[in-house]
Amino acid sequence: MRTVRHYIDMRADATPDKAYLVAPETGRELRYGRLREDARTLFYFLRKKGLRQGEKVSLMAHNGYQAADLFLGLMYGGFVVAPINLLAQSTQLEYLLDHSDTSLVFVAEPYRERLASALKKINRLVEVVVIDVDAETIFSDFDATATAVPPVAETDEALLLYTSGTTGVPKGVVLTHRNVISGGLFTGEAHELTSTDRVLNSLPLYHINGQI
């Protein structure tokens, strides 16, 4: 089963205390067991806000502990991650927010004002949650066991990426769970990575395959 949830569950069951990620900014480690717990808590948080699986959720944040945790947690719960290019100009940012049909944006404090200005130009409600990417936890008041997480299929949408828009408006490309996992597996195989290797990478989706 090539879904993000399958691989997180597999690693959390087998090696819950193994570090998935080490954040250089704080030295904090995100372990597989905690990654799954956070993903389930995130799902409950979003369901309480009325979001359903398949809805788009955006991230406007730089690299950090919580950026990675949210990135994978959203796909785990069956939501579609729509990352926002931090270098996007105002018109591009407005287009991305509108065209992606995003329901909610997790935004780091440095980009809060830029996001607010762009959302004023959009004729629909988009909820905003401000985060600290270096925080250890965001949703401490939510119980990860409070509700079951519905299944996720390989063919379900997982990630919505946009081009930079240098030759026109940004173009959106949708990746399924199978696409995301296949990319991670191919990367691991191409570099002959093993369980003893560590990878320096700003794209957390490539660290969840069964070898790492």
Side-chain angles (χ1 to χ4, degrees):
M1 176 64 73
R2 292 197 173 189
T3 68
V4 172
R5 185 186 301 174
H6 169 77
Y7 280 89
I8 291 177
D9 282 342
M10 180 179 66
R11 300 302 291 173
D13 287 338
T15 55
D17 294 325
K18 184 175 181 179
Y20 151 72
L21 174 143
V22 179
E25 298 84 3
T26 62
R28 185 177 295 122
E29 294 185 350
L30 177 58
R31 302 180 185 276
Y32 282 102
R34 177 63 182 272
L35 175 61
R36 176 166 63 182
E37 180 181 335
D38 287 352
R40 291 176 175 174
T41 302
L42 174 61
F43 174 82
Y44 182 60
F45 173 81
L46 293 174
R47 283 296 293 268
K48 291 284 285 185
K49 287 186 170 293
L51 272 69
R52 296 293 180 265
Q53 287 182 309
E55 290 197 53
K56 312 296 192 303
V57 180
S58 293
L59 288 176
M60 190 172 183
H62 49 281
N63 290 338
Y65 181 93
Q66 285 298 335
D69 205 12
L70 288 169
F71 189 94
L72 290 173
L74 288 167
M75 291 189 286
Y76 183 99
F79 302 98
V80 181
V81 186
I84 295 174
N85 183 355
L86 299 181
L87 299 179
Q89 301 299 314
S90 57
T91 55
Q92 293 174 327
L93 181 56
E94 294 162 17
Y95 177 83
L96 292 175
L97 292 167
D98 192 31
H99 186 267
S100 66
D101 199 30
T102 189
S103 300
L104 181 147
V105 181
F106 288 103
V107 60
E109 183 62 43
Y111 318 106
R112 185 177 185 175
E113 291 186 8
R114 283 184 58 209
L115 175 64
S117 296
L119 289 176
K120 290 179 180 178
K121 308 290 181 61
I122 297 176
N123 295 321
R124 61 184 179 83
L125 179 64
V126 177
E127 187 159 0
V128 175
V129 178
V130 181
I131 63 168
D132 176 359
V133 297
D134 295 324
E136 183 175 1
T137 185
I138 299 177
F139 312 112
S140 57
D141 295 335
F142 289 85
D143 181 3
T145 64
T147 185
V149 183
V152 174
E154 292 184 353
T155 53
D156 287 349
E157 296 178 358
L159 185 60
L160 173 59
L161 296 176
Y162 280 87
T163 62
S164 61
T166 53
T167 59
V169 296
K171 309 299 190 300
V173 178
V174 177
L175 302 180
T176 65
H177 279 261
R178 183 184 298 159
N179 296 147
V180 171
I181 293 301
S182 295
L185 290 172
F186 293 156
T187 299
E189 291 174 3
H191 293 280
E192 300 181 346
L193 300 177
T194 70
S195 59
T196 61
D197 292 315
R198 289 195 174 190
V199 180
L200 180 63
N201 197 325
S202 62
L203 294 177
L205 61 95
Y206 291 136
H207 293 181
I208 60 174
N209 69 67
Q211 299 178 13
I212 300 178

